[in-house]
């Protein structure tokens, strides 16, 4: 069975003072990959702009936009149709835990996954948290990661507008909850701390299913299971990823995956309001 | 050539030329007034006002007496006055800096020396003792710079851009100087049109434009209003005339825009039109409303400068 | 000891027997290679030198060959002090330096390719993974990118010193945006103007061929499918301390000097804004740091870079010289592995010596360092320009303790090396109006292109003008000397 998703991404930027020669970069296009087929994509703007498809990191595509006229207000809209095949996250066979753990310890493995094994500024685990989660070497990596998923959920509760995109884990854990980025960063930080490669994933979440974080772009984790490969975990909802998750890109942390980046030279204030609609038909 | 750099080179040319005119205007007016035939022309206040008028920094009507040292300091070394020579030279060098890879070493070195000379010059000495020495140095240095531009740069579009800057500035300054001296002549001889025709200010005007000797050779008599205006506005062989400068401007713009069927809104077309109109203007047409004519000319030249900016430097 | 000289300008020359003097041997006699020069200079009076020195300074100043220094309050325009007594390098000695510098450049290039692709050297455990993974100069954005021509460090500056044992040692490799080459050329010009006669007696290699070779090198690494590449020099602007050099190189190569605002990217191609509209750019010799190249990928507030440049680079439509991310390999901690790196990729013995280096990130070596501070120079791993260096035997007890605390707070940030004794060279000192011994080093410039290599036969000999000062950087009050590499006699 497959789902056909209609995704609408919309960003509305307003500037206190009119800006000219403004440029933006969007990382919002669903990845075209196995079990996830991008059927169509459209991008348009409310003001005369021209745009082209640029490279993002790790081979993902971005949309580069530059505006031909000075603007005070501009709206960007993207429409995507994606065919997502049903996916059962439990449908695979693992190696024995001992083999998995010894694979994690091998030098070649570590070097291969180096980028997703080291902390970044946003995935640095505060010292007080380091010992709060210990993997159980008798269990498989997959089971351990599910435990980690529960643990993250137990440490944080979903609360919008208390953290920012550049909040460190130290800030997040000393504060009062957070949003999907924070859950994802925490998961990545702890997995990496224990030598399991983990990467930050940005994407869309099927709306109307009662998930947290579905009003905006969502974030979750992909962790590497030796012998099997990358597996998706959604710590915000304490779920495993499946066909409700439509991936855009991955990176080391939010910095690599920010959906919108603007280069604007103005001394005035600016604001971005954005919304996401994800609807499906089977 | 980069649009930003072209803009900088254009302005380098303008600033080099501008400092020269400021220096010479001051020099000529100050020293002519020392033995001028009329009482008013001899008055120091009259000269200082003329200088202020020329720099575009006229004091309020209420100011009765201008301070000589202050006026001289303002036009030479006052860093807060955008028209001061030091600011012009600094701006010329800064513009050259940004295009250092394109201009010759010789030109840059000459401009750099000029800059260091001016910035290290003791301003107290200038206002009290060395008015002559300093202003002459500035005019001579500008001549050296022009000769370096002419002699050490390939005559390509870089050269054309700099020369456009120089000549557009020259026309602008010429017309401003004519305007300022016309104004002086009117003041000295306000009630007598015949006396105005023969005013001593015309001699000063020619000297301000370094044209007195040339005019003498051509006309062999004391300059009067019509002969002076004709010589400064219309004579194509006078290198300091508006006509001659427009000819050069037209030559240089053709190097940038070789299209012989130019768009009627292009800089080349507009310059060509102004040049040809002037070529077939008779001095009697100017004599009817000289002030109106001069004002109109100034506006047209400033329009051309804006047009160039739009067409070539808009980056 | 005083040297024996009948020439008045050297009569006060104090030779310290503990230091290696480039001109005088242990008995205080002039070495063979300097004999002729010494004779010619000896015929000048101190007054002559004073006058020549003044002229040389004015010449630099008038030509605008200056750099900006920043202190707390303002920036000032200064000339880079130039010394009239040249440094001479024997052809045999030079051969070793040249081969050694190229060997290092090649090894570093292979190292960079490896660590941004398969990372074999890490998997084989030759260089520890931690070293790279924790380095802020390791740009993950560069992973699996193939720079056109396969070259990362097109331009390398190798800093060498001669120790009291008479051997050259490499102090560091500079492969981000090594600067100083314009001074090599200016110094030669200035010396020719001041003392042209001396060149009659020596057969010296020219240094003015640098720019043409640089242009050939950067043209050789043009993007695929480009026939006649359009090359530019990218500068942060005229307020940058090395602006003179940027403009010199652009002019000498006959290419455009651009700032970030002159460029834009459309459809993953780079264009510059000219008076006749857009013009495609193929190779950018950039003198802008990695993190300022593209605000979409690196430092988001940078106004020096070009939005979209990195995407164009990823598409292979433009080349950036040196490649982004080279900084990871001139990190002072990677330096300590140079002998292993050369052996790993080239299977060769290092031609130039590395200075014994203690890595504070390693617990055993950290222990040694903390116990032997007075014998060591402590350097931060990632500071350029000679900042943050502590020289152990100059520190008071209190300062030693402070340095120890500093190291312990972040051991990976520091390395330590034995205090080397830099060789000394006769240098004209303005204050005393005579020649005195001063410490010197040498920066060489090597170029790597596609199937092409070049080492400038000459280099920047930097001299520490303050007596006894071992740091010879220009921002720390250093000067420089013309450097002669002699031709082999036939």
């Amino acid at each position: 069975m497959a789902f056909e998703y209609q995704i609408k991404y919309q960003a509305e930027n307003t500037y206190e003072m009119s800006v000219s020669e403004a440029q933006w970069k969007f990382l919002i296009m669903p990845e075209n990959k196995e079990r996830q087929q991008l059927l169509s994509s459209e991008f348009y703007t409310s003001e005369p702009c021209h745009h082209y498809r640029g490279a993002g990191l790790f081979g993902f595509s971005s949309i580069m936009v530059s505006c031909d006229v000075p603007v005070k207000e501009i709206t960007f809209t993207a429409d995507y149709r994606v065919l997502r095949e049903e996916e059962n996250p439990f449908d695979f066979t693992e190696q024995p835990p001992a083999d998995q753990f010894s694979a994690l310890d091998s030098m070649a493995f570590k070097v291969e996954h180096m980028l997703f094994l080291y902390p970044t500024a946003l995935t640095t685990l505060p010292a007080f948290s380091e010992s709060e989660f210990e993997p159980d070497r008798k269990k498989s990596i997959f089971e351990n990661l599910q435990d980690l998923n529960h643990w993250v959920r137990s440490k944080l509760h979903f609360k919008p507008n208390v953290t920012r995109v550049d909040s460190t884990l130290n800030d997040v854990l000393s504060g009062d909850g957070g949003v999907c980025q924070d859950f994802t960063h925490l998961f990545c930080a702890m997995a990496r701390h224990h030598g399991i490669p983990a990467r930050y994933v940005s994407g869309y979440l099927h709306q109307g299913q009662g998930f947290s974080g579905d009003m905006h772009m969502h974030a979750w984790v992909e962790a590497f299971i030796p012998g099997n490969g990358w597996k998706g975990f959604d710590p915000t909802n304490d779920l495993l990823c499946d066909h409700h998750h439509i991936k855009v890109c991955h990176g080391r942390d939010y910095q690599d995956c920010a959906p919108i980046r603007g280069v604007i030279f103005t001394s005035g204030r600016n604001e971005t309001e954005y919304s996401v609609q994800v609807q499906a038909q089977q | 050539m980069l649009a930003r750099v072209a803009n900088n080179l254009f302005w380098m040319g303008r600033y080099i030329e501008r400092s020269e005119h400021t220096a010479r205007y001051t020099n000529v007016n100050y020293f002519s007034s020392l033995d001028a035939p009329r009482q008013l022309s001899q008055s120091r206040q009259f000269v200082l006002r003329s200088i202020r008028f020329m720099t575009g920094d006229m004091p309020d009507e209420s100011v009765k007496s201008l301070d000589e040292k202050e006026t001289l300091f303002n036009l030479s070394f006052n860093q807060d006055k955008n028209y001061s020579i030091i600011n012009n030279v600094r701006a010329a060098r800064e513009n050259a800096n940004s295009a250092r890879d394109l201009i010759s070493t010789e030109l840059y070195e000459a401009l750099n020396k000029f800059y260091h000379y001016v910035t290290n010059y003791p301003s107290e000495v200038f206002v009290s003792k060395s008015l002559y020495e300093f202003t002459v140095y500035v005019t001579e240095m500008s001549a050296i710079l022009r000769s370096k531009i002419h002699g050490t740069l390939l005559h390509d579009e870089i050269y054309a851009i700099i020369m456009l800057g120089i000549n557009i500035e020259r026309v602008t300054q010429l017309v401003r100087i004519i305007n300022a001296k016309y104004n002086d002549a009117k003041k000295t001889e306000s009630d007598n049109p015949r006396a105005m025709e023969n005013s001593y200010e015309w001699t000063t005007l020619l000297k301000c434009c370094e044209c007195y000797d040339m005019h003498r050779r051509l006309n062999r008599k004391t300059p009067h209003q019509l002969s002076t205006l004709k010589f400064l506005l219309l004579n194509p062989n006078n290198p300091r005339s508006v006509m001659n400068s427009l000819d050069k401007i037209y030559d240089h713009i053709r190097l940038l825009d070789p299209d012989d069927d130019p768009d009627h809104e292009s800089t080349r077309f507009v310059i060509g039109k102004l040049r040809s109109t002037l070529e077939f203007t008779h001095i009697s047409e100017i004599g009817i409303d000289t002030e109106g004519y001069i004002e109109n000319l100034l506006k047209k030249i400033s329009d051309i400068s804006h047009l160039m900016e739009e067409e070539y430097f808009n980056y | 000891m005083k040297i024996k000289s009948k020439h008045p300008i050297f009569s006060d020359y104090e030779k310290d027997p503990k230091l290696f003097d480039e001109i005088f041997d242990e008995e205080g006699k002039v070495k063979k290679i300097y004999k002729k020069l010494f004779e010619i200079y000896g015929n000048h009076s101190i007054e002559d030198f004073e006058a020549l020195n003044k002229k040389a300074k004015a010449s630099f100043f008038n030509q605008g060959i200056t750099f900006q220094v920043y202190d707390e309050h303002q920036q000032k325009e200064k000339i880079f002090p130039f010394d009239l007594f040249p440094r001479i390098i024997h052809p045999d000695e030079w051969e070793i330096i040249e081969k050694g510098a190229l060997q290092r450049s090649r090894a570093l290039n292979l190292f960079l390719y490896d660590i941004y692709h398969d990372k074999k050297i890490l998997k084989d455990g030759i260089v520890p993974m931690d070293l790279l993974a924790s380095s802020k100069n390791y740009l993950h954005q560069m992973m699996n990118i193939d720079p056109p021509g396969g070259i990362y460090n097109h331009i390398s500056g190798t800093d060498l010193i001669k120790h009291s044992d008479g051997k050259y040692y490499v102090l560091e490799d500079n492969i981000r945006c090594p600067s100083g080459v314009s001074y090599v050329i200016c110094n030669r010009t200035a010396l020719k103007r001041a003392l042209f006669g001396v060149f009659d007696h020596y057969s010296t290699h020219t240094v003015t061929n640098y720019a043409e070779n640089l242009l050939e090198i950067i043209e050789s690494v043009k993007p695929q499918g480009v026939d006649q590449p359009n090359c530019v020099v990218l500068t942060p602007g005229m307020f940058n301390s090395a602006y003179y050099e940027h403009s010199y190189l652009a002019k000498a190569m006959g290419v455009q000097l651009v700032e970030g605002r002159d460029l834009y990217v459309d459809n993953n191609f780079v264009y510059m804004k000219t008076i006749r509209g857009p013009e495609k750019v193929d190779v950018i010799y950039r003198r802008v740091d990695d993190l300022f190249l593209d605000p979409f990928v690196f430092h988001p507030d940078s106004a020096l870079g070009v939005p979209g440049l990195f995407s164009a680079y990823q598409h292979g439509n433009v080349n950036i010289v040196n490649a982004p991310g080279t900084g990871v390999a001139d990190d002072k901690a990677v330096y300590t592995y140079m002998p292993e790196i050369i052996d790993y990729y080239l299977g060769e013995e290092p031609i130039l010596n590395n200075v014994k280096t203690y890595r504070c990130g390693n617990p055993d070596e950290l222990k040694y360092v903390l116990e032997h501070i007075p014998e060591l120079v402590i350097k931060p791993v990632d500071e350029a320009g000679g900042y943050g260096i502590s020289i152990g035997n100059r520190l008071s007890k209190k300062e030693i303790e402070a340095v120890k605390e500093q190291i312990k707070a972040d051991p990976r940030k520091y390395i330590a090396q034995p205090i080397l004794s830099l060789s000394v060279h006769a240098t004209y000192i303005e204050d005393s109006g005579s020649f005195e011994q001063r410490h010197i080093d040498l920066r060489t410039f090597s170029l790597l292109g596609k199937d092409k290599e070049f080492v400038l036969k000459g280099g920047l000999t930097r001299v520490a003008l303050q007596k006894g000062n071992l740091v010879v950087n220009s921002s720390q009050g250093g000067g420089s000397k013309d450097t002669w590499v002699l031709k082999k006699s036939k």
Side-chain angles (χ1 to χ4, degrees), chain C residues 336-352:
Chain C
T336 63
Y337 289 94
M338 271 317 278
E340 289 90 338
I341 289 173
I342 291 170
D343 176 49
Y344 187 78
Y345 295 107
L346 303 175
E348 295 170 7
E349 286 279 309
I351 297 167
L352 291 168

Side-chain angles (χ1 to χ4, degrees), chain C residues 57-73:
Chain C
K57 273 169 84 171
S59 151
F60 275 92
F61 202 62
N62 285 336
Q63 290 177 73
I65 303 170
T66 51
F67 66 98
Q68 319 277 335
V69 258
Y70 306 90
D71 63 16
E72 284 161 32
H73 308 292

Side-chain angles (χ1 to χ4, degrees), chain B residues 4 94 97 112 157 256, chain C residues 61-63 238 243 262 276:
Chain B
R4 174 180 57 83
E94 203 149 290
N97 270 344
N112 198 41
E157 54 188 29
L256 282 187
Chain C
F61 202 62
N62 285 336
Q63 290 177 73
M238 59 192 217
Y243 182 74
D262 297 319
R276 300 189 197 288

Side-chain angles (χ1 to χ4, degrees), chain A residues 21 23-25 50 52-58 64 107 110-112 114-115 118 252 256 261 263 265, chain C residues 119 122-123 129-130 133 138 140-141 143 265-268 273 295-298 300 303 307-308 311 314-315:
Chain A
E21 295 185 33
Q23 300 187 61
W24 301 268
K25 173 183 167 183
H50 63 282
Y52 62 92
R53 192 176 292 187
L57 301 181
F58 303 108
M64 310 287 204
M107 187 50 129
K110 284 184 178 171
V111 171
E112 194 57 45
M114 193 170 102
L115 290 181
Y118 279 81
R252 301 199 308 164
D256 286 347
R261 275 215 194 193
V263 176
F265 298 107
Chain C
K119 306 186 281 265
L122 306 183
K123 287 176 186 165
M129 174 175 61
D130 269 354
Y138 184 63
H140 69 286
Q141 292 90 340
M143 261 337 275
V265 179
D266 190 21
N267 221 1
N268 300 305
K273 304 169 189 169
F296 277 160
V297 180
F298 304 109
S311 175
Q314 284 173 291
H315 276 86

Side-chain angles (χ1 to χ4, degrees), chain B residues 55-279:
Chain B
T55 56
D57 185 23
M58 259 321 251
D60 285 344
E61 288 298 321
S62 59
V63 180
K64 285 279 170 286
S65 167
L66 292 174
D67 182 69
E68 174 174 333
K69 283 192 173 164
E70 187 191 324
T71 301
L72 293 179
F73 176 71
N74 282 349
L75 73 91
S76 55
F77 295 105
N78 190 342
Q79 306 201 11
D80 298 330
K81 297 286 182 190
N82 57 12
Y83 57 80
S84 69
I85 289 171
I86 197 167
N87 277 342
N88 280 316
V89 175
R90 173 171 293 140
R93 176 182 182 257
E94 203 149 290
N95 280 300
N97 270 344
S98 79
R100 231 176 132 165
D101 53 317
L102 296 181
I103 59 178
S104 63
T105 316
E106 293 81 0
L107 171 58
Y108 183 81
E109 195 168 336
L111 180 53
N112 198 41
K113 266 192 204 159
F114 186 22
Y115 167 79
H116 287 304
Y117 177 87
V118 172
T119 47
N120 293 324
Y121 202 90
S123 61
E124 344 53 82
V125 177
F126 167 73
V127 296
S128 55
K129 279 187 216 135
S130 60
L131 179 65
Y132 184 80
E133 180 211 309
F134 180 76
T135 51
V136 165
Y137 180 85
V138 171
T139 51
E140 283 179 357
M141 210 51 216
S142 309
I144 288 175
L145 288 173
R146 273 196 305 274
S147 109
K148 298 274 182 197
I149 290 164
H150 192 77
T152 69
L153 294 179
L154 202 62
H155 287 206
D156 61 3
E157 54 188 29
I158 293 169
Y159 172 76
I161 290 268
I162 301 174
M163 292 307 289
L164 275 165
I166 287 182
N167 283 295
I168 285 179
E169 185 64 26
R170 179 173 296 176
V171 177
T172 311
Q173 292 303 333
L174 267 171
V175 180
R176 288 177 69 105
I177 290 172
I178 295 171
N179 195 21
K181 293 313 293 176
Y182 187 88
N183 199 37
D184 287 350
K186 221 169 66 179
K187 268 196 219 151
T188 51
E189 318 287 353
S190 53
D191 26 354
N192 186 346
R194 231 194 109 63
M196 171 153 171
E197 172 73 24
N198 294 315
S199 165
Y200 179 69
E201 298 302 332
W202 305 120
T203 299
T204 317
L205 170 56
L206 284 166
K207 284 184 177 165
C208 287
C209 304
E210 254 181 357
C211 287
Y212 182 72
D213 290 351
M214 290 190 278
H215 181 277
R216 267 261 173 221
R217 251 186 69 76
L218 187 73
N219 294 301
R220 292 163 203 277
K221 54 183 175 197
T222 311
H224 54 84
Q225 181 177 345
L226 270 193
S227 73
T228 304
L229 290 179
K230 187 177 170 191
F231 191 67
L232 288 178
L233 290 170
L234 303 178
N235 190 324
N237 299 323
N238 168 13
R240 303 285 171 142
S241 76
V242 173
M243 189 66 234
N244 183 285
S245 301
L246 279 175
D247 278 340
K248 285 186 188 140
I249 291 170
Y250 188 57
D251 284 347
H252 296 308
I253 196 75
R254 275 194 305 182
L255 211 149
L256 282 187
D257 180 1
D259 184 357
D260 278 330
D261 184 18
D263 186 274
H264 80 286
E265 280 173 339
S266 70
T267 316
R268 168 171 168 171
F269 190 87
V270 174
I271 290 173
K273 198 167 170 181
L274 179 62
R275 192 209 75 86
S276 298
T277 315
L278 197 72
E279 186 177 359

Side-chain angles (χ1 to χ4, degrees), chain C residues 314-370:
Chain C
Q314 284 173 291
H315 276 86
N317 292 335
V318 70
N319 200 0
I320 299 173
V321 169
N322 287 351
T326 49
V328 66
D330 71 6
D331 185 305
K332 291 188 183 73
V334 168
Y335 163 88
T336 63
Y337 289 94
M338 271 317 278
E340 289 90 338
I341 289 173
I342 291 170
D343 176 49
Y344 187 78
Y345 295 107
L346 303 175
E348 295 170 7
E349 286 279 309
I351 297 167
L352 291 168
N353 302 301
N354 240 46
V355 181
K356 167 77 188 152
T357 307
Y358 301 92
R359 297 180 268 257
C360 299
N362 173 325
D364 292 343
E365 296 180 23
L366 173 65
K367 188 164 171 276
Y368 178 89
V369 170
L370 293 177

